[in-house]
Amino acid sequence: MSAAVELFDLHADGTPPADPLVLAREWLPGDDEPERPQVTLGTVGTDGWPDARTVLLTAFDETGFAFHTSAASRKVAELAALPRASMVVLWPGSTRQLVLRGDVVPDAEESVAAAWASRSDHLRQLAWCNTDELASLPRAERQQRWAAWAAANPAPGQAGSWVGYRLQPRELTFWAGGYDAASRRLQYTRAGGGWRWQHLAG
């Protein structure tokens, strides 16, 4: 994840941006940057228990924070049952975190296609080949099938199972550690057509 120049210091005095996406854009890489952030996506399992996994944050704007996956994945079934999720962005080795909570909606077709086009060959092959059936085979056979598929499909089109979603946050919490003071959170919560913010203990 590339470093961004911070225009607002969470420890500084003064009024933060009225729109949390202004601050999010300072922290997150632009959508055109090929190195995508890895984020933890939390959902509620169909059994009622919390569930989480790491996904790539493909893009974000006023319509939400986008991620893409296989339609056969467990998270898709969980989101169909309860279309709400959380997302945690962690800057390893740094003292920053961003936590999102909100509703999840299907991503637009053009955004799904753009996400596919931006994926590496390896990730595209995963979308086609990463099945429970393949996972159950001995290692040598998995390797043989993987290599055979790659040789037969040098430029695969978009997998039919490739789907996308956008988390539309109702809450964004920016966390910053501190060396000369306690860590601090800046939490934004939707309030009507705008946002309400407050500082909280870290």
Side-chain angles (χ1 to χ4, degrees), residues 21-168:
L21 289 185
V22 172
L23 188 52
R25 288 190 183 96
E26 295 175 12
W27 283 29
L28 293 164
D31 293 351
D32 57 346
E33 295 188 35
E35 192 69 24
R36 304 313 306 156
Q38 294 183 353
V39 303
T40 300
L41 178 72
T43 53
V44 177
T46 55
D47 57 2
W49 288 88
D51 202 357
R53 76 290 291 156
T54 301
V55 299
L56 294 180
L57 177 62
T58 304
F60 83 96
D61 57 22
E62 291 76 9
T63 66
F65 291 69
F67 59 95
H68 297 82
T69 187
S70 168
S73 65
R74 187 166 69 183
K75 54 185 165 294
V76 168
E78 293 170 349
L79 291 171
L82 182 61
R84 295 176 181 172
S86 63
M87 187 178 285
V88 181
V89 191
L90 172 67
W91 281 259
S94 183
T95 54
R96 290 189 301 182
Q97 290 184 51
L98 170 58
V99 181
L100 314 165
R101 297 199 305 156
D103 298 315
V104 177
V105 299
D107 200 11
E109 288 186 13
E110 58 270 23
S111 177
V112 175
W116 177 266
S118 70
R119 289 297 195 261
S120 66
D121 290 343
H122 178 79
L123 291 179
R124 290 179 191 172
Q125 186 170 347
L126 274 177
W128 279 102
C129 301
N130 196 17
T131 64
D132 291 342
E133 177 190 5
L134 182 67
S136 67
L137 299 175
R139 180 175 184 178
E141 188 171 354
R142 295 200 311 273
Q143 292 173 326
Q144 186 276 326
R145 290 197 183 192
W146 184 268
W149 193 95
N153 299 274
Q158 183 174 313
S161 63
W162 181 251
V163 294
Y165 295 90
R166 289 206 177 233
L167 190 157
Q168 298 179 328

Side-chain angles (χ1 to χ4, degrees), residues 6 8-12 27 94-98 173-179 181-186 200-202:
E6 289 187 44
F8 181 80
D9 180 356
L10 262 64
H11 290 289
W27 283 29
S94 183
T95 54
R96 290 189 301 182
Q97 290 184 51
L98 170 58
T173 303
F174 299 84
W175 176 92
Y179 297 105
S183 55
R184 193 185 202 196
R185 289 180 291 155
L186 173 60
L200 299 170

